[in-house]
Amino acid sequence: MNRDQAEARGVQAYYPKDMAWCYGCGRLNEAGHHFQTNWEGEETVTTYTPCSEHMAIPGFVYGGLIASLLDCHSTGSASLALYRDQGHELGSDAPLPRCVTASLKVDYLKPTPLGVKLIARGKIRDMNNKKVVVESELYAEGILCARGEVVAVSMPENFGK
Amino acid sequence: MNRDQAEARGVQAYYPKDMAWCYGCGRLNEAGHHFQTNWEGEETVTTYTPCSEHMAIPGFVYGGLIASLLDCHSTGSASLALYRDQGHELGSDAPLPRCVTASLKVDYLKPTPLGVKLIARGKIRDMNNKKVVVESELYAEGILCARGEVVAVSMPENFGK
């Protein structure tokens, strides 16, 4: 876990224990990335500094890591949005919606430099009580490097059954 | 590296050394996944058995890992397709085209079970001498779990400059 991740406390800190094992954002998955997503005004934000091995070619971030970051950033954003829509904020006793990804699209606009903090900024583009569309931009040192669009859905009760 | 990966020898085994560090498919990246992609008739195939930590929730594969697999599978497929289009097969002395991802789309159709070998099967849907569109299907135990579409482009000489 990177220091900026350890210090953050996002929606993922509030997922129920049986939903907190995700390799991308689960706080209980020791091997994972521990992405943390929270509101910043009307936007959602996830920051992460990739490890040195997360490269595509030397000096640049692996596209799969960027996809992973935008994936968890978006499902976290969707949880936050549904929760707020229900009248709740993090820390409330009301059960937090947990979302899964129906589709993920990433446009890689520029090579993303390795060794700096990445900032994913999300906007809720559309939502109903089961589905949230999250559009995101990924920045490195203030430069827009990738765009993401994720359709996230509330995890169905029969997930995987 | 999984045994099925160690035994495979795909296009990634032929990438030049300075292009062989990718976290997903670089043979020189000790921490990475070591995906290997090769032809199977007119299709391209990449197999991978995720590690136990690569979970979304217990029992199911992390979507970011699936995106990573389809990403490298597709850029590898694009290299194979461009090489064949130039009249070459792996093992030839001609320089192998190395591709990067312009865009990645993944539709997650079903939860993907953890603990079994995943098989990505790709088809070249469109190509010219610089750009290849790869459509893929991801199977677990014969069940279609995800679909991917990647636009891969030949790595520009000024990449990252």
Side-chain angles (χ1 to χ4, degrees):
Chain A
M1 198 186 316
N2 302 29
R3 188 179 302 170
D4 49 322
Q5 296 309 300
E7 289 174 357
R9 188 167 167 84
V11 63
Q12 292 88 353
Y14 297 87
Y15 288 164
K17 275 191 180 174
D18 58 345
M19 302 288 168
W21 294 93
C22 173
Y23 186 74
C25 64
R27 66 186 179 279
L28 301 178
N29 190 326
E30 289 186 8
H33 302 310
H34 299 263
F35 300 138
Q36 294 271 347
T37 307
N38 216 329
W39 291 112
E40 197 176 287
E42 294 300 308
E43 287 187 344
T44 56
V45 173
T46 307
T47 63
Y48 184 71
T49 306
C51 305
S52 58
E53 66 261 29
H54 292 145
M55 74 182 96
I57 63 168
F60 298 98
V61 178
Y62 174 45
L65 190 277
I66 292 169
S68 298
L69 173 56
L70 293 176
D71 183 8
C72 292
H73 164 72
S74 301
T75 51
S77 299
S79 282
L80 287 165
L82 288 170
Y83 209 40
R84 179 168 282 183
D85 191 56
Q86 293 166 8
H88 307 298
E89 297 291 337
L90 293 182
S92 158
D93 287 337
L96 180 70
R98 178 76 164 92
C99 295
V100 293
T101 308
S103 73
L104 164 72
K105 172 96 193 299
V106 183
D107 290 310
Y108 298 93
L109 307 175
K110 285 180 186 290
T112 302
L114 192 62
V116 301
K117 187 195 285 193
L118 306 182
I119 303 177
R121 296 189 171 276
K123 287 186 166 66
I124 309 301
R125 282 297 178 207
D126 194 17
M127 65 180 291
N128 60 31
N129 62 349
K130 287 187 181 172
K131 191 175 88 169
V132 184
V133 180
V134 183
E135 284 183 7
S136 300
E137 294 182 331
L138 183 88
Y139 293 90
E141 299 184 304
I143 295 170
L144 177 63
C145 295
R147 274 206 183 91
E149 181 177 310
V150 164
V151 178
V153 294
S154 286
M155 185 180 281
E157 287 190 17
N158 62 349
F159 182 87
K161 300 281 165 45
Chain B
M1 195 185 320
N2 302 28
R3 187 180 301 169
D4 50 322
Q5 296 310 300
E7 289 174 354
R9 189 167 165 83
V11 63
Q12 292 88 354
Y14 297 87
Y15 287 164
K17 276 189 179 174
D18 56 346
M19 301 290 168
W21 293 94
C22 173
Y23 185 74
C25 65
R27 65 185 180 279
L28 301 178
N29 190 325
E30 289 186 9
H33 301 310
H34 299 264
F35 301 137
Q36 294 271 346
T37 306
N38 216 329
W39 290 110
E40 195 176 289
E42 294 300 310
E43 286 187 346
T44 55
V45 173
T46 307
T47 64
Y48 184 71
T49 305
C51 304
S52 58
E53 67 261 29
H54 292 142
M55 73 182 97
I57 63 168
F60 298 99
V61 178
Y62 174 47
L65 190 277
I66 291 170
S68 298
L69 173 56
L70 292 177
D71 183 10
C72 291
H73 164 72
S74 300
T75 50
S77 299
S79 282
L80 287 166
L82 288 170
Y83 209 40
R84 180 170 281 183
D85 191 57
Q86 293 166 6
H88 306 298
E89 298 291 336
L90 293 181
S92 156
D93 287 337
L96 180 69
R98 180 74 164 94
C99 294
V100 293
T101 308
S103 73
L104 164 71
K105 171 98 192 299
V106 182
D107 290 310
Y108 297 93
L109 306 175
K110 285 179 186 291
T112 302
L114 192 63
V116 301
K117 186 195 286 193
L118 306 182
I119 303 177
R121 294 189 171 277
K123 287 186 166 65
I124 308 302
R125 282 299 179 204
D126 195 18
M127 64 181 291
N128 59 32
N129 62 349
K130 286 187 180 170
K131 190 174 88 169
V132 184
V133 180
V134 182
E135 284 183 7
S136 300
E137 294 182 332
L138 183 87
Y139 293 89
E141 300 184 304
I143 295 170
L144 177 63
C145 294
R147 275 206 182 90
E149 182 176 310
V150 165
V151 178
V153 294
S154 286
M155 183 180 283
E157 285 189 21
N158 62 350
F159 183 87
K161 300 279 164 48

